[in-house]
Amino acid sequence: MDNLQIGVLSCSGEECLGGTLARMATRMVMEENPDKVVTLCLPLYIAGGEEERSFARDYPVISVDGCSEYCAKRATIKFSGKVQDTLNITDIIDEDTALGKPVSMRDLTEEHYGMAEQIAEEIGKKVNFIVKK
């Protein structure tokens, strides 16, 4: 299990805050676990990126969705056949906030960073659960 890698496929939606928070949280988890966690690019994945899709067939993947459309989860299932675990950030922050107006990275507040940290903590729990299996 020492060489186990876990892919995190996060929302890429830029039309709402949820997508930004999903990507921020995924990055935080990846930085905390550089030897275990890799991020997969949803637009590339959907566009036919075979390296992304192949990884998701061979390794556990956690989808992180920014809204109830579950684009990351649905893409993983469609192109790679399985999702090890999934997280919809509206389970952590309220849906109105997740679907709210996008915020430029340079305009993020401490509150936004706090939300991203909460989401990252939940992703981290899922990563730890997979590692312990």
Side-chain angles (χ1 to χ4, degrees):
M1 278 300 193
D2 287 339
N3 60 0
L4 174 69
Q5 289 193 313
I6 300 165
V8 180
L9 184 63
S10 70
C11 174
S12 65
E14 295 187 11
E15 68 280 352
C16 64
L17 180 60
T20 301
L21 294 174
R23 289 188 306 279
M24 286 174 61
T26 296
R27 179 65 185 240
M28 289 173 178
V29 172
M30 189 176 69
E31 289 173 355
E32 282 285 316
N33 303 280
D35 296 331
K36 297 275 185 232
V37 176
V38 299
T39 185
L40 303 172
C41 175
L42 184 58
L44 181 59
Y45 194 89
I46 291 171
E50 190 50 42
E51 189 173 312
E52 309 284 301
R53 292 178 181 185
S54 178
F55 182 95
R57 282 190 292 271
D58 297 338
Y59 294 92
V61 172
I62 300 168
S63 66
V64 180
D65 286 286
C67 72
S68 61
E69 291 194 29
Y70 288 96
C71 297
K73 179 180 179 179
R74 290 183 313 148
T76 306
I77 292 168
K78 180 176 182 178
F79 297 116
S80 298
K82 62 183 176 178
V83 177
Q84 183 71 37
D85 208 338
T86 188
L87 175 68
N88 186 320
I89 68 167
T90 61
D91 294 338
I92 300 166
I93 64 170
D94 67 87
E95 190 168 4
D96 288 339
T97 300
L99 295 175
K101 181 180 170 189
V103 177
S104 168
M105 290 297 284
R106 67 178 164 264
D107 295 328
L108 292 171
T109 66
E110 288 300 316
E111 182 181 16
H112 294 123
Y113 282 101
M115 287 185 265
E117 288 171 359
Q118 286 180 308
I119 296 162
E121 185 176 320
E122 292 304 312
I123 298 169
K125 289 177 185 176
K126 293 176 181 301
V127 166
N128 291 335
F129 181 78
I130 293 169
V131 168
K132 288 178 182 175
K133 279 173 73 175

